Amino acid sequence: MTSPFPLPVTWPCMNNINALKRYQIAKVFRRDNPSKGTYREFYQCDFDIAGQYELMEPDFEVVRVLTELLNELSIGDYEIKLNHQKLLDVMLEICGIPSEKFRTVCSSIDKLDKQTFEYVKKELVEDKGLTSEIAERIGDFVKKRGPPLEILSELTSEGSQFLGNSEAVVALDELKILFTALDKSKCLNRVVFDLSLARGLDYYTGVIFEAVFKGTTQVGSIAAGGRYDNLVGMFSGKAVPAVGVSLGIERVFTIMEQLEKDRNQVIRATETQVLVAILGKGLALAAELVSELWNAKIKAEFGLTKRVMNHITRAKQTGIPWMVIVGESEL
């Protein structure tokens, strides 16, 4: 799944807008080569907040909206893995990794949701040039995951290596504000503080998150996002902080289709409840009868043909459960 990209990213600057909330459902294209379960061309639902706001205000709202979306879709159990880019960078610094290797190391850590740590460790050592000792230090950090306030308490307790770095302290303070707000909003139970979460793209500057379906259907992440304070400025020359999330429509449909199959329910091609089958060409009669159904807010269609089996076949193929058959004898 790709990460959110504000389209077009230059809107706020081109139109002298200081604050903007926007959403869209549109076709997008993958830049890198598609892998198993991914597409070159697909539909994505984006929600972005750009502009100057109070600290963590838009971050809270984006994560809250994501939980609402996933709850309303009724796809079953899910979790939102969450981390902070600054915390990730400090973690790599503590492990002794030079800054120029941060992004390439993050791309390896990003594979931990699909691969074992031993596989990732081998890649870090053989392909990225790290020592085995440094890779093991990374392993000690990325194994930390759990309830947000518990992990946060551990990372801010006396003796924590993060407290000696000003950037890490800023990140931990931001996360405390965010977790407290999500807790008050009754959705923190959906969030997991996961130090192994590392988004593969290099424009993230703050909170990063990824929603994962916990059911049997394996589709990878179903939504992802984070804070990208410098991305808009790359295109416009004007700094506009922003937070966004993207939800993959195809992946959600894959889950919903599998859930229907698991319940032995046939996925209908239409929501139509009644087919008014006129055995002849009586459009006026069809209009009268189908309008009664439409006026009663019943989803209905009509057909005009003398061949009764044509009507029945149409109803069976589209899964319409009820028919009103009107011919000379019925009248």
Side-chain angles (χ1 to χ4, degrees):
M1 149 109 226
T2 61
S3 298
F5 198 94
L7 302 171
V9 294
T10 51
W11 274 356
C13 299
M14 290 171 61
N15 297 286
N16 293 317
I17 297 173
N18 295 319
L20 173 72
K21 294 182 183 180
R22 60 169 290 279
Y23 73 90
Q24 71 171 23
I25 300 176
K27 188 180 293 184
V28 293
F29 300 87
R30 186 180 300 278
R31 181 186 64 181
D32 51 339
N33 292 326
S35 56
K36 184 179 180 181
T38 64
Y39 303 94
R40 171 74 68 191
E41 174 185 339
F42 53 100
Y43 278 88
Q44 194 164 275
C45 173
D46 299 324
F47 174 55
D48 298 275
I49 302 177
Q52 298 290 343
Y53 292 87
E54 289 298 318
L55 185 62
M56 306 311 290
E57 179 185 346
D59 308 70
F60 157 72
E61 186 169 356
V62 167
V63 176
R64 181 67 173 83
V65 166
L66 178 57
T67 62
E68 281 190 46
L69 274 174
L70 298 177
N71 290 341
E72 286 294 322
L73 288 170
S74 299
I75 60 171
D77 199 13
Y78 68 89
E79 69 178 19
I80 299 173
K81 298 190 291 185
L82 189 145
N83 199 0
H84 198 294
Q85 189 63 47
K86 289 179 181 177
L87 209 58
L88 192 59
D89 289 347
V90 172
M91 179 187 80
L92 299 180
E93 183 182 321
I94 291 171
C95 291
I97 299 168
S99 58
E100 63 270 17
K101 286 193 173 183
F102 280 8
R103 295 289 78 82
T104 185
V105 170
C106 280
S107 68
S108 294
I109 295 174
D110 193 31
K111 297 175 183 177
L112 282 170
D113 61 335
K114 302 180 185 71
Q115 303 289 349
T116 65
F117 178 71
E118 288 306 313
Y119 176 93
V120 172
K121 178 184 174 182
K122 183 179 179 182
E123 182 177 293
L124 289 171
V125 174
E126 295 182 2
D127 299 340
K128 305 297 173 71
L130 302 186
T131 66
S132 181
E133 291 76 15
I134 289 178
E136 284 294 340
R137 283 183 220 156
I138 293 174
D140 292 337
F141 278 111
V142 297
K143 290 171 186 174
K144 293 184 186 295
R145 76 185 304 272
L149 293 174
E150 288 183 22
I151 299 297
L152 183 65
S153 177
E154 181 182 343
L155 298 182
T156 55
S157 62
E158 187 176 348
S160 170
Q161 293 175 280
F162 289 108
L163 297 183
N165 184 288
S166 59
E167 288 289 289
V169 171
V170 168
L172 292 169
D173 288 343
E174 290 178 354
L175 289 173
K176 182 178 181 180
I177 294 170
L178 175 62
F179 293 157
T180 302
L182 291 171
D183 189 33
K184 293 294 184 182
S185 187
K186 309 298 184 188
C187 62
L188 189 62
N189 62 309
R190 291 294 192 178
V191 178
V192 175
F193 191 177
D194 190 339
L195 287 184
S196 73
L197 179 63
R199 302 297 299 146
L201 298 172
D202 59 5
Y203 54 70
Y204 286 112
T205 57
V207 168
I208 51 177
F209 46 86
E210 185 175 280
V212 179
F213 177 60
K214 296 175 72 176
T216 55
T217 306
Q218 297 300 311
V219 294
S221 62
I222 52 178
R227 173 169 284 276
Y228 49 96
D229 285 346
N230 303 324
L231 186 59
V232 177
M234 288 169 55
F235 292 86
S236 66
K238 180 181 177 182
V240 179
V243 186
V245 64
S246 294
L247 184 142
I249 304 298
E250 276 88 354
R251 293 192 177 185
V252 170
F253 282 172
T254 298
I255 294 169
M256 297 175 84
E257 287 170 359
Q258 186 59 51
L259 290 174
E260 293 293 312
K261 290 178 183 177
D262 292 344
R263 300 187 192 110
N264 293 320
Q265 292 180 346
V266 177
I267 300 172
R268 294 176 56 202
T270 175
E271 291 187 352
T272 302
Q273 297 165 280
V274 182
L275 173 64
V276 177
I278 304 297
L279 303 181
K281 298 182 179 180
L283 176 59
L285 178 59
E288 179 185 358
L289 295 178
V290 79
S291 292
E292 283 193 47
L293 296 170
W294 287 341
N295 291 338
K297 307 301 181 187
I298 295 172
K299 297 172 183 176
E301 298 179 22
F302 67 91
L304 305 174
T305 176
K306 290 182 179 180
R307 299 178 181 274
V308 67
M309 285 308 300
N310 286 7
H311 292 295
I312 294 173
T313 300
R314 175 180 172 182
K316 289 175 67 176
Q317 287 180 343
T318 56
I320 299 174
W322 295 92
M323 291 180 65
V324 175
I325 300 176
V326 184
E328 288 184 10
S329 59
E330 284 80 8
L331 289 172

